[in-house]
Amino acid sequence: MAHYDYLIVGAGLFGATYAFKANEIGRKCLVIDRRGHVGGNLYCESIEGINVHKYGAHIFHTSNKEVWDFVNSLVEFNRYTNSPVANYDGRLYNLPFNMNTFYQMWGTITPLEAQQKIGEQRKEAAEEMRRQGVAEPRNLEEQALLLVGRDIYERLIAGYTEKQWGRKCSELPAFIIKRLPVRMVYDNNYFNDRYQGIPVGGYNRLIERLLSGSDVMLGCDFFDHRDKLLPLADKVVYTGPIDRYYDYRYGKLEYRTVRFEHETLAMCNFQGNAVVNYTSRAVPYTRIIEHKHFEMFGDEVSKREVTVISKEYSSEWTEESEPYYPVNDTRNNDLYMKYKRLADSEKDVVFGGRLAEYRYYDMHNVIEKVLDMFR
Ligand code: FAD
Ligand code: UDP
């Protein structure tokens, strides 16, 4: 068998981008994945000609021109702009929090009116924190109340967040909610980034391009074949869970997992939008994705009487499920740091990606990281 410069464990975005950049400088890579397909969580399955995001909706967004130019040099991107809608007890609200949301919540029309309304609510939250002698928000609940006030917190944040994370908002880190913009304009674009879109033809094309110069072995778990695999390459790039690499010697890191219920429906348009969040505790799923809206716009949507939707149910990770979201609370971050110290002392193993770095990485963060490593 051939000898490789790198054995890359995981054919997700980190592994595939690493393989591409290594190929560019003449390195040979063997990329393995325990799943039966490449792409990691970006993988799409074509059902009735619709690219179904099998592991959750993925929207590419970045403000980094180098990252955007890099992905566009590989595939073309469409004009998809994420504008999710929140359904709370049958009433709809636009996201992220903007003038449309404030109108739907309070009937405010002008930015000044909305500012006053939010200002009153923020003041209440700030006074409450002062009474308790708290200077900085200590958790997600306090952060959200300071950011948008009680009305929005109760209808659009508390239930959704508790379902997604399985923890009370008062027990979650504040940073999770800091990503959500609050805007005084009528703008439903979920992201603040300069560039956004979905690869034309789906994410598999991007991954195939990234892996085109490498050998790929699927259905191959590193830990089942470690002794045979290690002699094949000089170095290892590991993108799986870091605690698993060290046989959980300090204990297990916690993750959230998501169960996807995919349904094919004989209708052209189920919900009129790619993403609808269900923010009330009474609905068991967090959101419904209707995949055709990622790639079909305007009249194209109604051309065929078929659509695919996915309901997302969030729960605690167990070894039988896929780890998706690292739970970056203090206990888990401290535990991760112990594993990181072991990883830092390895000479021939690189740890990278969402699972190996136990970081809430978006796709552009992963690419940025790999581009930096090769610079
Ligand atoms: P992964 O995609 O998890 O790849 C790791 C790979 O390693 C997997 O294929 C796994 O099978 C393999 N592996 C693990 N252990 C082993 C082993 N022992 N042997 C062999 N193979 C192994 N980002 C955005 O930018 N926009 C979004 O809209 C967005 N939405 C998301 C929605 C959800 C539900 C989730 C979970 C993530 C989302 N992300 C989004 C983040 C995005 O998925 C990640 O940034 C990206 O997938 C990280 O790539 P990765 O290679 O680090 O990890
Ligand atoms: N969030 C919320 N209500 C919503 C959407 C998001 O409260 O309707 C909160 C929730 O705490 C979530 C965080 O905002 O974890 C970040 O959401 P985002 O959609 O950016 O993250 P994703 O789940 O896609 O990684």
Side-chain angles (χ1 to χ4, degrees):
M1 196 153 179
H3 192 77
Y4 298 92
D5 295 291
Y6 291 107
L7 166 68
I8 301 184
V9 180
L13 189 61
F14 189 96
T17 308
Y18 200 99
F20 184 87
K21 293 303 288 180
N23 288 163
E24 270 189 346
I25 54 166
R27 304 286 188 270
K28 282 185 67 175
C29 303
L30 172 63
V31 184
I32 64 161
D33 205 293
R34 64 194 186 88
R35 294 181 184 169
H37 58 73
V38 295
N41 292 337
L42 273 56
Y43 172 70
C44 295
E45 183 181 318
S46 174
I47 300 178
E48 301 278 350
I50 297 164
N51 287 312
V52 175
H53 297 209
K54 286 297 271 198
Y55 303 95
H58 277 75
I59 299 116
F60 198 96
H61 57 96
T62 182
S63 288
N64 182 328
K65 186 162 188 315
E66 191 193 2
V67 169
W68 186 241
D69 287 345
F70 174 73
V71 290
N72 276 274
S73 73
L74 301 168
V75 289
E76 190 188 342
F77 275 71
N78 70 19
R79 67 163 181 83
Y80 179 78
T81 302
N82 198 32
S83 341
V85 170
N87 181 324
Y88 177 80
D89 273 358
R91 290 184 65 93
L92 296 183
Y93 299 88
N94 287 110
L95 295 172
F97 311 127
N98 74 82
M99 287 300 295
N100 289 305
T101 329
F102 308 142
Y103 174 69
Q104 291 144 352
M105 188 71 59
W106 302 304
T108 52
I109 306 260
T110 65
L112 192 64
E113 286 169 16
Q115 200 76 270
Q116 274 166 353
K117 192 75 197 168
I118 289 201
E120 284 164 23
Q121 301 220 342
R122 282 179 173 159
K123 205 165 142 221
E124 270 175 41
E127 274 167 10
E128 179 56 36
M129 276 175 61
R130 242 193 319 276
R131 265 197 298 279
Q132 293 183 23
V134 179
E136 283 292 310
R138 292 165 300 182
N139 53 54
L140 192 148
E141 178 174 286
E142 289 176 355
Q143 177 69 59
L145 288 170
L146 275 185
L147 204 65
V148 287
R150 187 158 295 278
D151 288 349
I152 291 184
Y153 171 70
E154 281 177 357
R155 279 187 237 176
L156 303 183
I157 297 177
Y160 185 91
T161 301
E162 286 178 15
K163 283 192 288 185
Q164 181 171 1
W165 294 100
R167 287 157 178 76
K168 290 211 180 96
C169 292
S170 54
E171 289 161 13
L172 285 164
F175 83 87
I176 295 179
I177 201 81
K178 277 193 188 149
R179 336 174 351 138
L180 290 186
V182 178
R183 295 205 192 107
M184 289 298 151
V185 286
Y186 288 95
D187 177 4
N188 298 327
N189 180 352
Y190 199 60
F191 301 114
N192 282 325
D193 285 321
R194 187 182 301 193
Y195 311 109
Q196 177 172 183
I198 305 261
V200 172
Y203 283 95
N204 295 2
R205 287 198 183 165
L206 172 65
I207 297 291
E208 279 156 19
R209 286 297 310 275
L210 289 169
L211 289 173
S212 60
S214 298
D215 289 340
V216 176
M217 208 187 271
L218 295 175
C220 175
D221 192 308
F222 176 67
F223 299 104
D224 292 342
H225 305 282
R226 198 176 186 149
D227 294 344
K228 278 195 216 120
L229 290 166
L230 286 178
L232 299 179
D234 296 338
K235 283 187 192 296
V236 173
V237 176
Y238 178 79
T239 76
I242 188 166
D243 52 348
R244 171 73 185 88
Y245 188 88
Y246 291 108
D247 230 354
Y248 308 111
R249 80 171 67 155
Y250 299 130
K252 284 186 182 167
L253 289 164
E254 288 176 294
Y255 296 91
R256 294 294 289 169
T257 192
V258 185
R259 181 169 62 81
F260 301 99
E261 241 175 51
H262 306 289
E263 286 173 57
T264 305
L265 306 175
M267 59 170 72
C268 55
N269 193 358
F270 172 73
Q271 62 184 16
N273 203 31
V275 185
V276 178
N277 291 358
Y278 285 79
T279 57
S280 143
R281 291 179 183 86
V283 178
Y285 39 84
T286 50
R287 56 186 188 180
I288 300 185
I289 305 299
E290 187 172 13
H291 300 268
K292 73 192 313 187
H293 298 295
F294 288 128
E295 294 184 63
M296 294 174 201
F297 307 105
D299 294 344
E300 285 171 88
V301 172
S302 48
K303 279 195 182 135
R304 284 187 53 222
E305 287 275 328
V306 65
T307 193
V308 182
I309 62 164
S310 305
K311 291 183 179 141
E312 297 189 0
Y313 298 83
S314 200
S315 64
E316 207 64 24
W317 174 78
T318 59
E319 260 176 89
E320 296 74 54
S321 58
E322 289 286 343
Y324 288 125
Y325 294 99
V327 179
N328 290 112
D329 58 11
T330 314
R331 187 195 87 79
N332 283 289
N333 285 343
D334 291 347
L335 182 55
Y336 166 69
M337 286 315 290
K338 286 172 110 178
Y339 284 115
K340 185 174 184 304
R341 275 193 282 279
L342 294 179
D344 286 343
S345 66
E346 300 276 356
K347 260 192 19 250
D348 294 323
V349 190
V350 174
F351 290 78
R354 210 176 223 224
L355 302 170
E357 293 179 69
Y358 200 64
R359 289 271 299 269
Y360 202 115
Y361 272 146
D362 271 333
M363 293 180 278
H364 61 283
N365 304 126
V366 166
I367 292 181
E368 205 166 68
K369 184 81 199 259
V370 178
L371 296 184
D372 276 350
M373 287 168 100
F374 277 82
R375 217 182 332 259

